Amino acid sequence: MKKLSPELLLKLHYLMVKSRVLEERMINIYRQGQAYFWIGGPGEEAFGVPLGLLIKKGCGLDYDWLHLHYRATPTLVAMGLSMRDALRLIMNKVTDKHTGGRNFSNHYCMPEWNVAPITSVIGSQYSTALGTAHVQSRSSTSAITIVTGGDAGTAEGDFATCLIWASRSVCPLPMLITVQNNGWGISTSYQGQHGETNIVDRGKAFNMETVLIDGNNPIESYTKLDESMKYVREKRRPVLLEAFVSRLYGHSSASGANYVKEEPCCIALFEEKLKKQGLLTEKKRKNIWDDLKAEAKQIQQEVAQEPDPQPESIWDHVYANKENADGRKF
């Protein structure tokens, strides 16, 4: 396995903690009655943060396109998502740059980074990702399309469609197709829903490159993602990657969002490793957590004072160049 620099290891740790603190703050916001719903990715930081650091970020064909699902906060935090913008979204403020305060938590949309709108529809991103990958396959660029999802979403037809169209020998697509397998589909266990041993086994039927990794290990995640993304960039062919991750707070606030002690915590495991290597002290670890928690709490208090969307704006960004009966555009 590739050896990562101390600087990169500490950067991975900081961003993992930042993402976790942000998600836990959002859970608290929901419990305080300042949000309607929460669904996120605590437990997926060791996979999501390395992915975010390896993305070729920007707008347009020369940059990677991202079709993500609603557990993508670690990836976007690593790319530069601010706590303030994430909290504006879950608190449904008019200042929310992603949806104008009109959608659930973690349903990000960032055109400036080629981040396609995240939806609640399970697995649909696997189909829409084919579009940007087709354009990239016809362009002289090293940019790729990245699509992420959970294990339960692979039961949808969109996932099968993605494998078929990405792997055709006449027109293979430059796609990194990932599945973050947390072992659950809401309250249904993985074992009760899958006949294959691993989800990546499906890719072998389409002669795709497949990768299986421990998504709770940020070093393995960074190394394997780096190798896989380089393959897609150079060969212009797809890779199907499956990462085993934890689900530390259940499916969403609908299932209580309580901490699951039986699940391994990737941050705690990584911190022990960094301590043994002499890269992290307990004092430094505590300071990082305390500082980020204080920052998140302060931002929440500030965002709470920002305005909510008004009823008359309901049709904004829905129709273009339309007018209602009284001549008002909507």
Side-chain angles (χ1 to χ4, degrees):
M1 190 180 299
K2 180 180 179 182
K3 187 175 182 180
L4 306 185
S5 70
E7 292 77 16
L8 179 54
L9 292 173
L10 291 175
K11 184 175 184 179
L12 286 167
H13 172 257
Y14 178 83
L15 292 170
M16 288 168 65
V17 175
K18 183 176 183 178
S19 180
R20 177 71 61 80
V21 167
L22 173 59
E23 292 276 25
E24 291 179 342
R25 174 52 47 183
M26 287 195 280
I27 292 172
N28 286 335
I29 287 171
Y30 164 77
R31 289 173 175 165
Q32 293 166 9
Q34 296 187 50
Y36 297 102
F37 185 75
W38 168 85
I39 188 167
E44 299 195 11
E45 296 89 356
F47 174 83
V49 166
L51 176 61
L53 290 178
L54 289 164
I55 285 167
K56 188 177 182 183
K57 183 179 73 174
C59 181
L61 276 180
D62 292 331
Y63 302 93
D64 296 343
W65 263 94
L66 310 179
H67 300 261
L68 309 172
H69 69 319
Y70 42 66
R71 302 194 190 278
T73 296
T75 296
L76 293 174
V77 165
M79 292 176 67
L81 171 71
S82 71
M83 287 188 181
R84 189 175 301 275
D85 283 336
L87 297 189
R88 283 170 168 165
L89 171 55
I90 189 173
M91 297 176 77
N92 298 112
K93 296 298 180 179
V94 74
T95 49
D96 163 37
K97 60 181 283 188
H98 305 279
T99 76
R102 289 169 166 76
N103 213 330
F104 289 140
S105 72
N106 297 44
H107 285 51
Y108 303 108
C109 174
M110 307 177 77
E112 68 274 21
W113 292 351
N114 285 351
V115 177
I118 295 175
T119 74
S120 298
V121 181
I122 303 299
S124 62
Q125 69 274 18
Y126 286 112
S127 286
T128 57
L130 294 168
T132 54
H134 265 293
V135 175
Q136 290 170 328
S137 72
R138 300 175 183 179
S139 307
S140 56
T141 176
S142 64
I144 65 176
T145 286
I146 299 160
V147 55
T148 72
D151 51 291
T154 64
E156 300 292 334
D158 296 274
F159 183 73
T161 296
C162 184
L163 298 186
I164 292 168
W165 284 90
S167 62
R168 294 181 307 150
S169 59
V170 294
C171 185
L173 301 181
M175 299 181 70
L176 175 67
I177 305 165
T178 79
V179 179
Q180 284 86 279
N181 188 346
N182 63 26
W184 292 94
I186 305 183
S187 58
T188 305
S189 70
Y190 176 90
Q191 291 77 10
Q193 297 296 312
H194 293 262
E196 74 277 32
T197 302
N198 296 302
I199 292 171
V200 289
D201 295 341
R202 299 190 209 173
K204 296 174 183 178
F206 299 93
N207 294 318
M208 294 174 64
E209 290 291 319
T210 60
V211 182
L212 189 66
I213 68 172
D214 176 6
N216 277 324
N217 184 335
I219 299 174
E220 179 176 341
S221 293
Y222 188 95
T223 302
K224 295 298 183 181
L225 281 167
D226 190 25
E227 293 173 356
S228 298
M229 293 168 79
K230 285 179 179 176
Y231 173 89
V232 179
R233 294 190 196 284
E234 295 170 5
K235 303 293 185 181
R236 314 306 290 165
R237 298 185 61 84
V239 167
L240 175 60
L241 183 149
E242 179 180 1
F244 293 109
V245 297
S246 297
R247 195 176 75 168
L248 292 180
Y249 284 90
H251 178 72
S252 66
S253 56
S255 58
N258 296 315
Y259 190 81
V260 182
K261 296 179 180 179
E262 295 78 14
E263 293 275 356
C265 173
C266 61
I267 298 180
L269 293 171
F270 192 37
E271 287 178 340
E272 287 304 311
K273 187 174 294 186
L274 293 176
K275 287 179 181 179
K276 289 179 180 178
Q277 295 180 11
L279 297 177
L280 186 68
T281 64
E282 176 57 26
K283 181 179 179 180
K284 184 177 180 181
R285 186 203 70 81
K286 187 176 183 302
N287 287 341
I288 291 172
W289 281 90
D290 289 346
D291 289 349
L292 286 170
K293 286 180 178 180
E295 179 184 355
K297 185 176 181 180
Q298 177 63 35
I299 292 172
Q300 175 193 349
Q301 293 171 349
E302 294 170 0
V303 170
Q305 304 305 313
E306 296 178 355
D308 302 321
Q310 297 303 302
E312 57 267 23
S313 70
I314 190 171
W315 297 115
D316 289 357
H317 314 300
V318 176
Y319 299 103
N321 302 319
K322 298 286 185 178
E323 293 184 359
N324 62 9
D326 62 6
R328 185 171 61 86
K329 289 186 177 181
F330 65 95

